[in-house]
Amino acid sequence: MIRRPPRSTPSNSSAASDVYKRQELIEGVIKRLNLDMKYSDFEKMVRLEVPRTYVKEFGVDPIKFWRKIDEAIMFFRRDLAKKGLIKAYADTEVLKLIDMPLAAISNASTEATEFVLKLTRLKKYFKVIQGKDYRNIDGCKPSPYLILKVSRMLGVRPEEVMVVGDSMLDILAARRANAIAVHIKRSNKEIPEANITIESLYELLKILEDC
């Protein structure tokens, strides 16, 4: 089974300022690289509405760009950690009861992904931890690339994989990889493209028993 690492869970009072700070850090990278683009263009790259190699049009090496972005995001996550704002959801305790190889996939760097998993004491449950692959920048979710790569690392066929995620990017990547797409609802947003929708990771145990 593959799942995404936990997101940071700031209180409502700090959420807006933290989101703004993240945007500010990313805009700082864009400015330092003299890129004639807006934050909205960056968001389009994240969603793969335009290629993640889009910055080549401005004469910037995509790998350099994304490494700088990941450095900024790592700084942001360390700052959240200092504030005590990165916490695992309570239902992640289910991971210790799942008797099958688990993998964590993220569009962030492997370093940033491992940082969060170690901080939340979840790293020990994952056989494979895979962040973005700088050799294939456009392989981030919603591309199926990372799921297919991790499936090979686990020695399983994609159709045997269950991907648990809370975003449209997770679900689209799973469907494109021909894996089982499980949407865990961490908000009121519905994702009809999912094969299965659950409200909590606790529901996974029953699903896995029936598989």
Side-chain angles (χ1 to χ4, degrees), residues 56-96:
K56 287 174 66 176
E57 296 187 15
F58 303 96
V60 173
D61 176 25
I63 294 178
K64 177 182 179 181
F65 173 79
W66 285 104
R67 286 193 184 278
K68 291 295 184 183
I69 289 293
D70 287 337
E71 287 173 8
I73 290 176
M74 189 67 202
F75 176 86
F76 175 71
R77 290 191 177 187
R78 290 188 187 279
D79 184 59
L80 288 179
K82 288 178 182 178
K83 297 176 183 177
L85 296 177
I86 296 181
K87 301 176 183 178
Y89 289 100
D91 59 2
T92 53
E93 66 177 2
V94 164
L95 298 180
K96 63 187 177 184

Side-chain angles (χ1 to χ4, degrees), residues 2 105 144-152 161 163 170 173-174 177 179:
I2 297 173
I105 291 180
Y145 172 77
L146 292 176
I147 295 174
L148 296 175
K149 179 179 179 180
V150 169
S151 298
R152 291 192 296 271
V161 169
V163 178
D170 299 322

Side-chain angles (χ1 to χ4, degrees), residues 21-60:
K21 183 173 183 179
R22 179 180 182 275
Q23 178 175 337
E24 196 174 49
L25 288 169
I26 291 169
E27 287 176 335
V29 172
I30 293 171
K31 183 177 181 180
R32 286 192 295 276
L33 292 175
N34 295 313
L35 282 165
D36 184 21
M37 56 182 281
K38 301 176 182 178
Y39 183 75
S40 58
D41 297 318
F42 170 79
E43 290 183 313
K44 289 178 182 178
M45 285 194 290
V46 169
R47 296 190 296 267
L48 282 183
E49 292 176 9
V50 297
R52 286 182 173 238
T53 54
Y54 174 66
V55 293
K56 287 174 66 176
E57 296 187 15
F58 303 96
V60 173

